[in-house]
Amino acid sequence: MQAGLAFPNKDQDDLLDIHSCYLRLLTLIERLHRQLLEVIKDELERESLDDINAVQALLLYNIGDAELTAGELRTRGHYLGSNVSYNLKKLVDTGYISHKRSDADRRSVRVSLTDKGFEIREIIGGLFERHLNSVEKVGDVHAEMMDTTNTTLERLERFWADQIRFQL
């Protein structure tokens, strides 16, 4: 054996493995979100909807039947603060969302979907339904895999939330 060459031990191998896996996971999360928005954009184009973008359509889908504040949308949907306000204003202006001041807190504005907003929600819901009907056959992704992935992502979300909350 040549002097000066170090062979990694088991702990170093494990560290290198988790390092590369974590960085790959971060890249995939970002790329998958962008691809989802592209898929939604394509669906909106097929439906000849040009007054709404993919982020706004996903926002409508996630609001659903609820009546929420912008703050609640940020926490539930994990949208960035200024983007939520901007997108909500656009959605109100284009008639997809209605808004009203909260009776309990006059500073707070509650939003809900209009009939036009529910139409977009139905379109996106139909898109997701089509995906569900083919993801296993075409994508070779089955429920067990998704369940494991969901568990991993939920744990990672909790880990990141703790990093922020406890300033770790």
Side-chain angles (χ1 to χ4, degrees):
M1 188 164 101
Q2 207 174 358
L5 283 181
F7 290 96
N9 63 30
K10 177 79 172 114
D11 291 339
Q12 287 173 321
D13 284 344
D14 290 345
L15 185 61
L16 291 173
D17 188 47
I18 196 164
H19 180 268
S20 62
C21 287
Y22 182 72
L23 294 179
R24 182 170 174 234
L25 179 68
L26 296 178
T27 302
L28 281 170
I29 290 169
E30 182 183 3
R31 196 167 60 211
L32 285 170
H33 180 67
R34 267 191 261 122
Q35 274 188 312
L36 173 62
L37 293 177
E38 281 296 315
V39 167
I40 292 171
K41 178 181 166 274
D42 287 348
E43 186 71 6
L44 294 172
E45 287 173 359
R46 271 193 288 282
E47 296 285 334
S48 301
L49 294 163
D50 58 2
D51 63 339
I52 186 170
N53 66 37
V55 171
Q56 293 163 350
L58 189 57
L59 190 60
L60 293 175
Y61 180 81
N62 288 326
I63 291 172
D65 294 329
E67 188 178 272
L68 304 166
T69 66
E72 290 168 329
L73 278 170
R74 276 191 299 274
T75 358
R76 292 172 97 196
H78 311 286
Y79 304 96
L80 298 177
S82 62
N83 290 345
V84 170
S85 299
Y86 169 81
N87 284 315
L88 287 177
K89 182 182 179 333
K90 286 293 202 184
L91 291 167
V92 168
D93 291 347
T94 51
Y96 290 106
I97 283 183
S98 64
H99 70 291
K100 67 177 183 174
R101 293 251 170 240
S102 170
D103 294 332
D105 180 358
R106 301 300 295 161
R107 298 169 297 172
S108 178
V109 175
R110 301 197 69 73
V111 298
S112 59
L113 301 187
T114 62
D115 288 343
K116 191 175 173 183
F118 276 109
E119 288 174 17
I120 298 297
R121 187 172 197 280
E122 288 297 313
I123 289 169
I124 303 306
L127 170 67
F128 293 163
E129 218 28 66
R130 286 196 319 271
H131 290 171
L132 283 170
N133 291 326
S134 64
V135 72
E136 194 166 10
K137 291 177 233 157
V138 177
D140 196 27
V141 177
H142 51 83
E144 196 174 285
M145 290 169 72
M146 285 190 255
D147 189 48
T148 301
T149 301
N150 288 338
T151 299
T152 302
L153 291 173
E154 287 165 353
R155 288 179 184 174
L156 189 56
E157 179 184 31
R158 196 169 42 246
F159 171 76
W160 285 341
D162 288 349
Q163 297 300 300
I164 295 164
R165 186 177 306 115
F166 302 117
Q167 298 179 339
L168 300 174

